[in-house]
Amino acid sequence: MSAVSEPSTVTEPTDSPVTRHDPRESAERHFPAGFLWGTATSAYQVEGAVAEDGRTPSIWDTFSATPGKVHGGHTGEVAADHYHRRAEDVALMAGLGLNAYRFSVSWPRVQPTGRGPAVQRGLDFYRALVDDLCERGVRPALTLYHWDLPQELEDSGGWANRDTVGRFAEYAHLVAEALGDRVPLWTTLNEPWCSAFLGYGSGRHAPGRTEPLAALRAAHHLNLAHGTAVSALRSVLRDSAKVAVSHNLHLVRPATTSAADRDAARRIDALGGRVFTGPMLDGRYPADLIEDTAAITDWDFVADGDLEAIRQPIDLLGVNFYTPTVVSATPEGQEPGRADGHGGSAHSPWPGSERVTFRQPPGERTASGWAVDPSALRELLVRVAREHPGLPLLVTENGAAFEDTLDADGAVHDPRRVAYLRAHLEAVHRAISDGADVRGYFLWSLLDNFEWSEGYAKRFGIVHVDFATQRRVLKDSARWYAAVARANALPQLR
Ligand code: FCB
């Protein structure tokens, strides 16, 4: 392995000018012309039809079928039945006046074993989806990998095995050949942090492994998979197509200004974001990350040429944001706190960070238990923009789960979601005013869906889904978001 970089600065915990609300900002606020207003979903969370048209199990089919792994024993077998209700769902988006839609392709649907030629029936579903979207003026934004690795590849070691990188590049090539003429925006990976550290570290996500070394290997192989997939995509796509990657970068705040807490924040900032942005955008692993994980590995799995292969120019960076992360150094003799928002597990998703305590910030929380703090989104966008000048940004996920109820009158009133969305869109708007080049916003999610280890217990949709009947009902938030998208502006504050 070659060069390493220095850590970047970690944000101050104090109320900086970036986070302060300006009460004079009450006029209608417009977004830049051409701003993308979309929703996001992912294949395993909405499609269902897990055994149709040649699809084989992914790691999430296996994991959710394993007792005790997912809330209530829920699985994605039916999910929101989007595979059969595609046209209805596209009509919903078009009816809301949204101009973009971020979805993912299920790898085991188009290349069931992760090897060999594509299954045409699987690709036909995505061809039809893309056609429907284009006909209705909704721009497709395709994610190649949103966590549903073909089980056969996991049986050969999954992301901890370097061979999976080549498999992914081949899969990317197949999908680009089938859909490259109609999809303007491509994303390689969704939140590789979750794939590596929840999948192979804490075991809260599929495949449920709890091996710190495998988690770090997986992170590197996901980086390499991204780079080789970008090259594969570029060899097929027309020049106008844009290529991106989506990260949950963890806006990390130290609990106090003490040197120990700041060091804890630096450590989590490296493992929560720079482990990916370092190699992808700067061609290096951060020096502090290598040092922090030295007891686990010397990173000998990084081969000559890997860093060059990973650092491929991308057109946009996708930022997924839900909540900030607050950490402190764990005092001697105490057990570290684990309120890191990534679910309970006896195993940490943070290899080498045994002495870091994750704190629950005070204030409002969503049904997922995640603190509501829109100032962190503004701070994150401004920081990323500053650190990577010239790279346009997209918010590729943001949203919240709340306890929604379908009222007797058939309505779903979700004022807390509206407030969450309004505050976070204000944060995006302020980040743009601060100079961040944000080109679009994809709300998570269009539909209530399978929320990974939480099953169907957490509803993130702006469209309510009755999972017994699959009936869709627009929540108030859907109407509110539609008005924002149509106006390309946030309404005046009342
Ligand atoms: C993100 C995932 C997405 C969804 C939201 C709530 O981490 O990318 O699939 O589950 O969280």
Side-chain angles (χ1 to χ4, degrees), residues 395-428:
V395 175
T396 38
E397 279 183 29
N398 176 239
F402 289 108
E403 311 284 350
D404 302 319
T405 48
L406 188 56
D407 287 358
D409 63 352
V412 181
H413 302 299
D414 57 344
R416 293 187 65 196
R417 182 173 292 102
V418 171
Y420 180 100
L421 295 173
R422 181 202 295 275
H424 285 78
L425 281 169
E426 282 169 11
V428 175

Side-chain angles (χ1 to χ4, degrees), residues 5 64 123 126 203 347 349 370 403 406 474 477-478 481:
S5 68
S64 58
L123 281 174
Y126 298 105
H347 303 271
W370 299 345
E403 311 284 350
L406 188 56
L474 297 184
S477 56
Y481 186 55

